[in-house]
Structures are given as C-alpha cells and as structure tokens.
Amino acid sequence: MKIAAIDLGERPVLLAPMEDVTDPAFRLMCKEFGADMVYTEFVSADALIRSVSKTEQKLNIGDAERPVAIQIYGRDVATMVEAAKIVEQAHPDVIDLNFGCPVKRVAGKGAGAGMLRNVPLMLEITRAVVDAVRLPVTVKTRLGWDADNKIIVTLAEQLQDCGIQALTIHGRTRAQMYTGEADWTLIGEVKNNPRMRIPIIGNGDITTPQRARECFDRYGVDAIMVGRASFGRPWIFKEIKHYLQTGEDLQGLTPAWKLDVLRREVDDSVRLLDERRGILHVRRHLAASPLFKGIPNFRETRIAMLRAETQAELLDIFRQIEPLLGIGSSASDRQPDSFL
Ligand SMILES: Cc1cc2nc3c(=O)[nH]c(=O)nc-3n(C[C@H](O)[C@H](O)[C@H](O)COP(=O)(O)O)c2cc1C
C-alpha cells in the first residue's frame, strides 16, 4: 500500500495519533515493534501559528521513526494553511488533518469532528492545505456527526476530490465519542465504492491480531490503525504483524521480556521528557497494560505503581512485581538479545 510515493508494504499496521500518548519515545518503540507508520498527537493550528513553544515541541520527529505523519487540527482556512506550512518545515512524511476529535473543547468549537457539521468548510480547508504544501496530505475522520448523519461514503469521495492521498476512518460517530462498538461496515462500504482510488485506513477497536486480520479480510481496507490497544502493550504491533504473516499467534513473549519493555518505556520517557512528565506519561500505559491483568492480590501494588513519583521508586516496584509474574532471576527469562 502506498501513500503517494511512500511504500508501506503489504497490509500495513499504523499507530493512531493520540494526545499525550504518541510522543517521540512511544512512537519509536511502536515503530521498532513493527508499526509501519506512526502519527504525532494532534497539534493545534492556532497555537502553532502563535508560536506557542509547547506546541512547537510536538513537531519534533526523528528519522528513526519514519514514515511519520504530523497531524494538525483547526477551524479556519487561513490558520490551517499557515500551520501546514510550518509543519512542512519540520519535514514529516505526511501531513494529516484531524476532522475526528470528538472532545468538547475541540469539536464544540467547530474543529476536529465539529467539521462534520460544516462539510463545505472541511472541504475548503482540505483543498487549501493540499494546494499550499508539497507533502502528501491525508485526513482522519469519523462516520459522521451522529447516527442520523453517517455521511462518510459521500464525504470520502468529496475529500478524495480535494486531493488527499489517504483517508483514515474511525468507525464511530462524534456522538458516540468512544462508546459502543466501532462499526466497520461503513468503512467497508467506502473501500468498496468503485469511485474511491485513495487508500482507506480502517480504525476502531482493533485489540487482537485475529481482529486485525478480520478487518483486512472482511472489509478490504488498505491499512489498519491501532490506538488504545497499544497502551502498555507496544508489542501488539509485533503480535499483529506476526499473525498477519503466518496465521499463527506469536509465542515466546515472556512476562520478563514484557516487563523489560515497560522498563524501557519508563527510561525513554524520563530521558526524552523529564522525570515528572515522563512518569505521568507512562502511568496511563501501566494502568492499561495487559501484563498486570489477573495478578492475584495486585491492588495495593498497582496503586503504589500508579502513585510512584520517581523513576527509582517505579523500578523498585517493578522488582517487587517480578515474582508475582513468576519471573525468577534466571537470565533465560529475559531474552536479552531479542528486544525486538
Ligand atoms: C487518549 C486518546 C487520545 C487521542 N488523541 C487523538 C488525536 O490526537 N488525534 C486523532 O486523530 N485521534 C485521537 N484519538 C483517537 C484515536 O486515534 C483512535 O481513532 C480511537 O482511539 C479509536 O481507535 P482504537 O479503538 O484503536 O483506540 C485519541 C484517542 C485516545 C484514546
């Protein structure tokens, strides 16, 4: 599958853009585990053109994570065009436009999924950004505003006519936020529309390698995008890629290995952010990680893990968790050479 000239290979698996989650350390880790393309969290066009330094930092990308998309959101044409030109200077591989964010502070102001209520403006912004930059421009959006307005099949054609190079569809409406189940049937309908030429990237509720394959097989999408299932489980890309290639579950990822991955996530986050922000960042991953699910009497340790304020404290708790996960001191538990 290709986005413009960027070859993502067969059945690519992408890391979804996620605010406060897909920072450089996490993107790189997912990339190393097999994500075929990664996205920054969304970047406010308004803040970018005002040179807000915290926002500018979100444009920091590294060569090792390529291909990488920088995603922007906003609600007026001139601002989005100017922001896209600033983003172009950061040299991502792709500029992605967010027309899917459902949260009130964004959609309520007409940006993100709010654009689903003003399609003419959405198309005008898209056309203007495509014309203003040389990089490939893509869009990520939802099925529509609510159950009575699932406009994606027509909208996909309109966006394609604006010159975008790929379209990501999250199979929910804005009204659904993140509730209910993602509906992939309409994603499949877009893909099977004979008028569509650009790649369609399907997104929503991919949590297992089996579901990943089903989404390719049943709905015919060109790529899939994984979001929340990567929390505390960046190795899901390795599991999905292996399953897509062999039809078999990946064996041999031991608890010791997974804990080492999480240790590295702590290290990377603290190194690339700072201790306080790094710890805050990994908390969400630790809270969601399947590694700790099902450990008997884990409540107290879990609370301590999520309250730890320093790297040393956290690593100490990890050491206490080792025996709970059945990890001995044997080096063979660890697979030290096979981090990837
Ligand atoms: C914490 C969080 C932050 C998100 N931030 C963004 C974002 O910045 N841009 C975006 O397009 N989508 C964002 N999303 C939506 C995801 O990219 C994705 O579309 C959604 O989670 C559905 O996929 P999933 O079921 O695999 O998680 C976010 C989702 C979550 C849970």
Side-chain angles (χ1 to χ4, degrees):
M1 183 275 237
K2 277 185 166 177
I3 296 179
I6 307 160
D7 193 345
L8 299 179
E10 286 289 300
R11 297 198 284 188
V13 185
L14 280 40
L15 171 66
M18 288 184 284
E19 186 179 24
D20 292 333
V21 176
T22 55
D23 63 5
F26 190 66
R27 294 197 303 262
L28 190 57
M29 189 164 250
C30 291
K31 162 86 188 178
E32 288 177 358
F33 286 129
D36 294 291
M37 175 153 142
V38 297
Y39 290 66
T40 65
E41 63 182 299
F42 68 175
V43 180
S44 158
D46 277 326
L48 212 48
I49 68 166
R50 283 187 283 111
S51 305
V52 175
S53 73
K54 224 177 124 194
T55 304
E56 285 176 331
Q57 280 170 22
K58 295 181 182 170
L59 304 185
N60 288 339
I61 49 171
D63 279 338
E65 59 180 292
R66 289 185 190 282
V68 55
I70 293 180
Q71 188 191 61
I72 55 172
Y73 72 97
R75 58 179 173 158
D76 88 273
V77 180
T79 311
M80 286 290 271
V81 164
E82 209 180 317
K85 287 183 179 164
I86 295 169
V87 167
E88 197 167 36
Q89 302 309 310
H91 304 295
D93 299 277
V94 166
I95 297 180
D96 189 63
L97 307 181
N98 177 315
F99 298 136
C101 178
V103 303
K104 216 168 183 181
R105 82 186 140 87
V106 175
K109 291 184 186 152
M115 284 287 165
L116 290 162
R117 295 214 283 191
N118 191 349
V119 171
L121 180 58
M122 183 199 289
L123 300 178
E124 196 185 339
I125 288 175
T126 307
R127 225 175 284 119
V129 172
V130 167
D131 288 347
V133 296
R134 298 168 70 120
L135 285 171
V137 176
T138 58
V139 163
K140 179 168 178 285
T141 188
R142 292 184 172 228
L143 303 178
W145 180 259
D146 59 22
D148 296 329
N149 294 284
K150 292 186 179 173
I151 57 172
I152 193 63
V153 175
T154 309
L155 179 62
E157 289 188 14
Q158 293 169 315
L159 286 166
Q160 174 176 267
D161 291 344
C162 294
I164 61 167
Q165 304 280 356
L167 174 65
T168 304
I169 306 169
H170 174 192
R172 285 188 174 82
T173 62
R174 189 275 170 175
Q176 282 179 291
M177 307 293 285
Y178 291 96
T179 61
E181 260 176 46
D183 172 6
W184 275 72
T185 51
L186 276 177
I187 300 177
E189 228 174 276
V190 172
K191 178 60 210 170
N192 291 322
N193 175 355
R195 274 218 59 223
M196 294 306 294
R197 287 171 281 102
I198 56 171
I200 301 300
I201 303 161
N203 168 242
D205 297 346
I206 296 176
T207 55
T208 62
Q210 289 73 12
R211 179 64 182 156
R213 190 161 98 180
E214 193 184 21
C215 289
F216 277 114
D217 291 351
R218 245 169 99 176
Y219 304 103
V221 290
D222 300 283
I224 57 169
M225 180 183 270
V226 176
R228 290 163 295 173
S230 66
F231 290 2
R233 187 186 175 187
W235 55 83
I236 192 173
F237 292 97
K238 196 173 164 71
E239 294 173 318
I240 292 179
K241 297 293 287 189
H242 180 86
Y243 189 81
L244 290 175
Q245 278 155 16
T246 65
E248 284 169 16
D249 280 329
L250 179 62
Q251 304 291 336
L253 300 186
T254 63
W257 181 87
K258 290 175 181 172
L259 195 61
D260 274 352
V261 171
L262 296 182
R263 268 194 193 100
R264 186 180 135 195
E265 202 176 329
V266 174
D267 285 352
D268 287 354
S269 298
V270 168
R271 189 166 38 81
L272 286 165
L273 300 164
D274 56 49
E275 188 163 44
R276 197 185 65 81
R277 287 189 303 147
I279 299 281
L280 283 178
H281 169 87
V282 290
R283 263 187 206 160
R284 157 180 265 141
H285 289 271
L286 298 177
S289 182
L291 180 59
F292 306 119
K293 299 255 156 75
I295 301 180
N297 307 318
F298 190 60
R299 197 165 169 271
E300 296 296 310
T301 316
R302 181 184 153 83
I303 291 170
M305 180 171 77
L306 299 181
R307 281 194 183 149
E309 286 183 354
T310 64
Q311 186 173 9
E313 222 181 308
L314 199 47
L315 295 181
D316 192 44
I317 295 168
F318 277 10
R319 270 190 293 277
Q320 294 166 30
I321 292 175
E322 285 192 351
L324 306 179
L325 287 169
I327 302 171
S329 51
S330 152
S332 62
D333 278 351
R334 300 223 109 74
Q335 304 162 313
D337 303 331
S338 59
F339 207 73
L340 304 179

